[in-house]
Amino acid sequence: MMSVTGFVANGASNFEFMDELIINPFELAGWLLCVAVLIWAIISITSLLRSRQLLNQQYLQGSLLLEEKFNLMRERRKRVMDQSVAWEGFANFVVVRKVLHGDSGICSFYLKPKDERLELAPFQPGQHLVFQLPIAGAAAPLTRRYSLSDRPGQDYYRVSIKLQLPPRDAPDAPPGVGSSYFHNELDEESASSYKSLIQVSSPAGAFSDDPLDSKPVVLIGGGVGITPMLSMLNSIIEENESREAWLFYTIRANDENVLFDEDMLHPRIAEVMRTRSNIHLHIHYTQIKEPGSLPNDLPFPIDQHCGRLTVDQFKTILPSNNYRFFICGPERMMVQLSDDLVSWGVPEEDVLYEHFAAPTKRKTANDSAEKGTIRFAKSNKEIEISADDGSILDAAERAEVPVSYDCRAGSCGQCMVAVVSGKVSYSMRTNYKCPPGSCLTCSCLPDGDVVLDC
Ligand SMILES: Cc1cc2nc3c(=O)[nH]c(=O)nc-3n(C[C@H](O)[C@H](O)[C@H](O)COP(=O)(O)OP(=O)(O)OC[C@H]3O[C@@H](n4cnc5c(N)ncnc54)[C@H](O)[C@@H]3O)c2cc1C
Ligand code: FES
């Protein structure tokens, strides 16, 4: 306990202590300011957190609503697909409109069922129709496939067909039989009801896109390979406002360009290009070397490039490689782009391509597939084959072993046979996935000796 004497004796120092207790007004103001700043910071952080929470809730609600809308649309489309009586075999259709696209050699055919009671079967963008063509002098009708080139939901089907001229190394060969039939023998119904008739099967094919999917897409069409891409792009524009889509169209020169021709792109394309930042169009001209020679009379601004399309350009143009890539065009372009996309880190399942014709140069993943003996068990025949000889289907034809086929391009599954023993190696990735123990003879070579059940 402190004594009175002690207090008196220490009087001076206690007054100093009291002095220290009297708070300096500047110091007080400083403290008050600190407290105010602290309170302001707490309030700001709380309200920031609250508004972020609100935003998150709104975003979640928005995406849930969008997902719900898409699910409803998917459900509706599935119901239509399930209910629709896609006809069996081939049905009679009429050409209601025929449009030749300038000097491109491509002609569009608008088709409607002859029997008005027959409803158009729905389809997925990217799918194709199979036609049976009554070629004069041929023992049986010729089968040809053509991609649907407009979006689903119209009251017609449209196919756009390029007249196949003889190849450069065989200029005296006849032009393509099927495409010549379309270009030269078929007429609009208004011109000749007899010449407008054509046999069509319901839409088919595994190369397709669901426009309601949210995954952004890159659609690459080379020459007439633009046809399935037009269907995909037009459907995305029509059905999915929020989906990002890039179209890359490669042609030699502008006279091959069909993009801006009558109704090829969605009727609202000009407005879409002005108002939507998620739709991008690029044209690559392989034979134009100088930017000054690029066409300057396009109906709306669009990116144009000289030279071939390469994955290096994707690396500079696309924000990332996180896209699903659909490719259809000349074989060399498809092989190069798909290989380079996979090397860039795009998963193989996101690189999808459609062959319009069987590859001419066979190269398999496995070098031992260069040579082999094929034994056709049912026909009791055997044949030696090397990589230059074409596919197993070509070999079967040479050995006069009956194997049915249709597309010869890995799309239809018609040429599938069971592999009794041995292995095969594919010269291209196929759209049709056949079950284990079987092979698509149009697209593979024997990997050593094989025995096939045909
Ligand atoms: C799923 C799928 C979708 C398709 N979509 C489309 C499409 O949308 N648009 C389109 O235009 N095509 C498309 N095709 C391609 C189409 O099916 C045909 O393959 C194409 O039209 C060629 O058929 P063709 O009967 O006219 O030619 P073919 O008669 O098969 O002839 C092919 C080529 O061989 C040449 N030839 C003929 N005889 C000889 C000879 N003796 N020597 C050397 N060469 C010769 C011809 O001049 C021609 O260039 C698609 C194919 C598939 C598989
Ligand atoms: S013929 Fe069509 S997949 Fe082989």
Side-chain angles (χ1 to χ4, degrees):
M1 221 172 105
M2 191 189 281
S3 68
V4 175
T5 9
F7 175 74
V8 173
N10 292 329
S13 59
N14 276 316
F15 279 121
E16 275 166 27
F17 169 71
M18 291 290 284
D19 258 2
E20 273 171 26
L21 279 182
I22 294 168
I23 297 169
N24 181 336
F26 291 111
E27 214 172 294
L28 180 66
W31 277 108
L32 285 176
L33 195 66
C34 285
V35 171
V37 167
L38 196 67
I39 292 171
W40 174 81
I42 290 169
I43 291 172
S44 315
I45 289 169
T46 323
S47 66
L48 193 75
L49 286 176
R50 198 169 298 149
S51 64
R52 279 198 65 172
Q53 203 178 3
L54 262 171
L55 266 176
N56 278 345
Q57 271 172 357
Q58 279 172 355
Y59 176 75
L60 208 67
Q61 275 171 354
S63 51
L64 280 177
L65 276 175
L66 206 64
E67 191 54 39
E68 211 171 295
K69 187 177 138 198
F70 283 174
N71 284 342
L72 264 174
M73 285 170 85
R74 270 196 197 108
E75 193 55 39
R76 213 172 300 145
R77 177 179 295 180
K78 190 174 171 315
R79 267 207 306 275
V80 176
M81 289 277 226
D82 290 346
Q83 281 168 4
S84 84
V85 207
W87 60 96
E88 293 279 321
F90 289 85
N92 275 326
F93 272 63
V94 284
V95 178
V96 291
R97 222 173 128 210
K98 180 176 173 183
V99 181
L100 182 65
H101 300 289
D103 295 331
S104 65
I106 297 176
C107 193
S108 284
F109 297 83
Y110 293 74
L111 310 165
K112 286 190 178 180
K114 169 112 179 83
D115 182 345
E116 283 170 7
R117 287 166 306 173
L118 185 78
E119 277 185 37
L120 289 180
F123 65 92
Q124 288 279 22
Q127 287 192 304
H128 61 265
L129 297 174
V130 184
F131 294 85
Q132 252 183 3
L133 312 173
I135 303 297
L142 181 80
T143 304
R144 285 288 180 271
R145 285 159 194 270
Y146 292 100
S147 304
L148 287 144
S149 64
D150 204 353
R151 68 197 148 95
Q154 316 274 30
D155 64 348
Y156 56 80
Y157 287 146
R158 184 179 72 189
V159 287
S160 305
I161 298 174
K162 184 169 172 91
L163 177 65
Q164 288 299 325
L165 297 174
R168 254 181 258 155
D169 56 0
D172 298 329
V177 184
S179 53
S180 295
Y181 181 85
F182 270 89
H183 277 245
N184 305 329
E185 304 296 326
L186 274 183
D187 252 329
E188 277 184 11
E189 192 184 23
S190 57
S192 156
S193 64
Y194 171 67
K195 287 185 86 182
S196 69
L197 273 183
I198 183 122
Q199 299 251 289
V200 184
S201 78
S202 41
F207 182 76
S208 66
D209 175 51
D210 177 359
L212 299 179
D213 201 338
S214 54
K215 175 108 184 168
V217 278
V218 175
L219 312 171
I220 307 159
V224 76
I226 191 69
T227 51
M229 309 305 163
L230 286 171
S231 181
M232 291 183 193
L233 182 74
N234 290 346
S235 307
I236 290 171
I237 291 176
E238 179 69 19
E239 295 189 40
N240 193 345
E241 238 176 68
S242 57
R243 190 165 182 202
E244 185 184 340
W246 298 70
L247 178 76
F248 289 88
Y249 180 33
T250 86
I251 42 178
R252 275 176 290 203
N254 200 33
D255 55 358
E256 284 185 6
N257 193 347
V258 294
L259 218 51
F260 307 117
D261 256 40
E262 222 179 308
D263 299 341
M264 289 309 256
L265 285 167
H266 193 284
R268 282 191 285 106
I269 187 69
E271 175 208 324
V272 165
M273 294 305 290
R274 255 199 340 270
T275 55
R276 271 170 69 171
S277 57
N278 56 355
I279 301 289
H280 310 265
L281 303 187
H282 288 254
I283 304 184
H284 288 253
Y285 302 88
T286 55
Q287 285 182 354
I288 299 185
K289 305 284 177 234
E290 298 295 324
S293 312
L294 290 169
N296 54 12
D297 56 349
L298 305 182
F300 45 85
I302 152 170
D303 290 289
Q304 301 191 95
H305 311 264
C306 303
R308 280 188 315 116
L309 170 65
T310 64
V311 170
D312 280 341
Q313 284 156 344
F314 286 148
K315 289 178 188 170
T316 58
I317 296 171
L318 298 174
S320 76
N321 64 358
N322 189 16
Y323 291 85
R324 186 167 300 136
F325 293 81
F326 288 91
I327 318 173
C328 183
E331 184 191 331
R332 241 184 60 194
M333 177 191 107
M334 287 204 290
V335 171
Q336 186 72 61
L337 284 180
S338 54
D339 284 356
D340 292 352
L341 283 170
V342 172
S343 307
W344 186 27
V346 180
E348 276 202 24
E349 61 271 22
D350 281 334
V351 183
L352 300 145
Y353 49 91
E354 179 90 300
H355 293 271
F356 275 3
T360 46
K361 187 166 175 281
R362 305 277 167 174
K363 185 159 177 19
T364 61
N366 187 343
D367 285 345
S368 73
E370 289 281 297
K371 234 177 172 13
T373 304
I374 311 169
R375 193 172 145 62
F376 300 103
K378 275 190 188 147
S379 315
N380 200 17
K381 288 186 176 166
E382 205 170 276
I383 190 169
E384 282 274 324
I385 183 172
S386 74
D388 299 330
D389 289 341
S391 63
I392 291 183
L393 178 60
D394 295 330
E397 284 174 340
R398 277 200 304 283
E400 295 184 352
V401 171
V403 176
S404 64
Y405 65 87
D406 195 341
C407 67
R408 299 187 85 103
S411 287
C412 69
Q414 279 283 322
C415 64
M416 183 167 67
V417 300
V419 180
V420 179
S421 67
K423 279 198 303 187
V424 297
S425 195
Y426 281 83
S427 50
M428 60 181 185
R429 275 196 288 138
T430 58
N431 283 324
Y432 189 93
K433 305 289 172 225
C434 57
S438 57
C439 70
L440 290 182
T441 54
C442 73
S443 313
C444 64
L445 282 167
D447 192 349
D449 296 343
V450 285
V451 181
L452 300 176
D453 188 30
C454 56

